[in-house]
Amino acid sequence: MIQSSSVQRFAVYAKRCILAGFLSMPLIVMAQNTRLNDYNTIGWFTNTTTLRFSNRWSGHFEYQFRRDELVQKWQQSLLRTGINYHANDKLTLRLGYAWIETFPYGDYTIQAAGRQFPEHRLYQMATLNNPIGRVEISHRFMLEQRWFGRYLNADSPRPDETVYVNRLRYMFRAQMPIGKPKLEDKTPYVAAYDEILLGFGRNVGENVFDQNRLGLLLGYRFSPVFRLEGGFFQQIVQLPREIQNRNVFQYNNGIIVNTVVNMDLRKK
């Protein structure tokens, strides 16, 4: 049986995670006539693969298939790679690169030209694991340097310029096994996370708040190599531009499905 104290502890963390998402939404305190709202139904389908080739080092490969209208249309295609340094059992550092294609979707497109545009990123990341009893807690900090193509004319055959921006990200995640004292093989689990993304530096303008992401998940660990999780996902995006002097917010709600592969290539 699941200990009631552990369930209560996880519930507290989940509530904090959800509360953090709502507190990060400046739109809550904004007057209705100062913004435009865009509601979309999305589906994110991801794979994350880690290749452990030494005690300290591992490779990271990730692809995210992000869809609008649940699965019918493109929202984004994201490919992310990196190299991990495992400082100890609790701290992992990563340096990596990502390539993204963003597609026009919703009533108000991210760029005024309404065109698909590319983005290249460098990023630095630190993940700190801090288990408390049966609840696994993680904090992920990420710094991104982003270069994306921007169209000045909707008829241009390719982006007219490249814009550089910085972004800071923080994600809090709580995870707890169901029916067992710890997460092991053939074990279901529940998880909740919230991530806030903030732009800073030149070319960001007044919209420092970029996004907030909230996930409520049910997962299953099949083996040390593979686990699967999925559930409700919410993405709130503030567009980096105004329309008729009004801020534009996207409310993207839907599902997320994650597959996680961990392969140990070290010689036994």
Side-chain angles (χ1 to χ4, degrees), residues 106-120:
D107 296 330
Y108 308 103
T109 58
I110 293 178
Q111 292 192 9
R115 298 281 300 279
Q116 173 184 339
F117 63 90
E119 179 183 343
H120 300 274

Side-chain angles (χ1 to χ4, degrees), residues 111-115 150-161:
Q111 292 192 9
R115 298 281 300 279
R150 182 163 66 184
Y151 292 86
L152 301 178
N153 188 325
D155 296 326
S156 298
R158 60 182 60 86
D160 299 292
E161 62 182 11

Side-chain angles (χ1 to χ4, degrees), residues 52-58 85-88 264 266-267:
R52 189 74 173 262
F53 47 80
S54 76
N55 292 337
R56 294 291 187 183
W57 299 94
S58 66
Y85 176 73
H86 303 270
N88 51 51
D264 193 342
R266 292 173 291 183
K267 295 181 178 180

Side-chain angles (χ1 to χ4, degrees), residues 31 109 219 228 247 257:
T109 58
L228 173 69
N247 290 307
V257 179

Side-chain angles (χ1 to χ4, degrees), residues 21-23 25-31 35 251:
F22 286 114
L23 291 178
M25 304 175 199
L27 52 95
I28 293 179
V29 297
M30 295 177 63
R35 67 172 186 262
Y251 296 79

Side-chain angles (χ1 to χ4, degrees), residues 138-169:
S138 66
H139 306 271
R140 190 181 78 176
F141 305 87
M142 186 182 297
L143 180 64
E144 296 176 321
Q145 300 81 47
R146 308 169 64 201
W147 293 265
F148 59 85
R150 182 163 66 184
Y151 292 86
L152 301 178
N153 188 325
D155 296 326
S156 298
R158 60 182 60 86
D160 299 292
E161 62 182 11
T162 299
V163 179
Y164 171 78
V165 296
N166 297 296
R167 190 165 66 182
L168 180 65
R169 304 169 57 162

Side-chain angles (χ1 to χ4, degrees), residues 1-15:
M1 294 179 62
I2 302 175
Q3 299 178 1
S4 59
S5 60
S6 298
V7 174
Q8 293 173 355
R9 187 180 298 113
F10 179 79
V12 170
Y13 288 126
K15 290 178 181 177

Side-chain angles (χ1 to χ4, degrees), residues 190-261:
V190 291
Y193 71 87
D194 188 86
E195 182 177 24
I196 185 170
L197 298 81
L198 303 173
F200 68 95
R202 61 187 177 93
N203 297 325
V204 170
E206 64 182 54
N207 296 342
V208 175
F209 173 81
D210 182 85
Q211 294 185 40
N212 194 86
R213 301 174 181 176
L214 171 71
L216 303 174
L217 309 173
L218 177 64
Y220 190 85
R221 172 171 159 165
F222 291 87
S223 70
V225 176
F226 182 74
R227 61 185 172 90
L228 173 69
E229 61 184 28
F232 170 76
F233 180 68
Q234 178 191 74
Q235 179 194 35
I236 297 177
V237 182
Q238 182 177 11
L239 267 59
R241 65 188 182 98
E242 294 183 350
I243 298 177
Q244 299 176 350
N245 296 321
R246 300 166 71 181
N247 290 307
V248 182
F249 285 87
Q250 292 181 351
Y251 296 79
N252 302 326
N253 297 317
I255 63 172
I256 186 168
V257 179
N258 301 323
T259 57
V260 182
V261 178

